[in-house]
Amino acid sequence: HMDQDKKVSSKTFKFFEWLFALVVTNLITIFLIVPIFTAFSAITTLIEVLKDFSTEGPASVIKTYFITFGKNFKRSIAFGIINTIILALIILSLYFYGFLIKPEAIIGQIGFWFTVGITIFFIFINLQLPFVFVNFPYVGVFDGYKFSLFVSFRHFLNTMLVLACFLLAISGIVLFPIWICIGVSGSAFLAVKITDPIYYYLKKIIERDENKDNEEE
């Protein structure tokens, strides 16, 4: 009976430990997403923290999050600024072609649908970009986007599952009390679990290629 009680209390403790971690990381991430240019750093931090928690357990949540954010911010600010500029241009373009130019004008229609296409492309690349950044932390800006594009198309089904998690994180706002607690962190945790096998596989391939190059030298 004693062992049984220990197991139950251990499972209960782990559940609440995880719940606390998800709620805390969710609230901090939402707060850090608001300035927009820090959104990429916040999302990559959330993914990295949840990834580490899944293997080591959610200890020192707040301290771990801010240490990771500080480390990621220096390396990811370029991605954040570029994404913010592109997003601003997309919104401006959609407004210009959708509202300022007459609906019957051909140039307006072409411009509007071209911008819609660019928006989809932008979202598509950014679905894998945070995972590329977390799993290959020293990737350059250009290589990061390029690698993300490769993974997005090469592992299309996986990217669609990440998109489902992304849509879940956004649409979950309709259930505000739940969303404010675990809407973003819960969706990110699902995405981490979905993408982990692919990035493990990619790391192994890159390690193998590097070892081959070293042997040849």
Side-chain angles (χ1 to χ4, degrees), residues 99-147:
F99 296 98
L100 296 185
I101 290 184
K102 290 178 182 178
E104 63 272 13
I106 296 294
I107 187 71
Q109 291 178 25
I110 292 170
F112 178 79
W113 288 111
F114 177 76
T115 306
V116 168
I118 292 293
T119 306
I120 293 167
F121 192 70
F122 173 72
I123 292 168
F124 203 71
I125 289 176
N126 273 279
L127 287 170
Q128 293 288 357
L129 188 59
F131 300 97
V132 168
F133 182 86
V134 169
N135 285 281
F136 302 98
Y138 298 104
V139 70
V141 175
F142 178 72
D143 287 337
Y145 282 105
K146 193 169 69 172
F147 193 21

Side-chain angles (χ1 to χ4, degrees), residues 150-170:
F150 164 76
V151 177
S152 295
F153 282 102
R154 179 68 181 79
H155 301 280
F156 185 77
L157 180 60
N158 186 272
T159 305
M160 289 298 99
L161 291 172
V162 174
L163 176 61
C165 294
F166 172 73
L167 294 174
L168 182 66
I170 294 172

Side-chain angles (χ1 to χ4, degrees), residues 45-119:
T45 297
L46 177 64
I47 288 167
E48 186 170 341
V49 166
L50 292 175
K51 190 177 167 67
D52 290 343
F53 283 175
S54 65
T55 54
E56 297 166 19
S60 308
V61 184
I62 298 170
K63 184 182 175 184
T64 303
Y65 191 102
F66 282 109
I67 288 171
T68 308
F69 181 80
K71 178 190 72 176
N72 283 350
F73 187 75
K74 292 173 189 174
R75 295 186 287 111
S76 64
I77 188 62
F79 290 102
I81 291 169
I82 290 167
N83 278 347
T84 304
I85 291 167
I86 293 170
L87 186 62
L89 289 172
I90 284 170
I91 292 167
L92 189 66
S93 184
L94 286 170
Y95 177 73
F96 179 78
Y97 289 115
F99 296 98
L100 296 185
I101 290 184
K102 290 178 182 178
E104 63 272 13
I106 296 294
I107 187 71
Q109 291 178 25
I110 292 170
F112 178 79
W113 288 111
F114 177 76
T115 306
V116 168
I118 292 293
T119 306

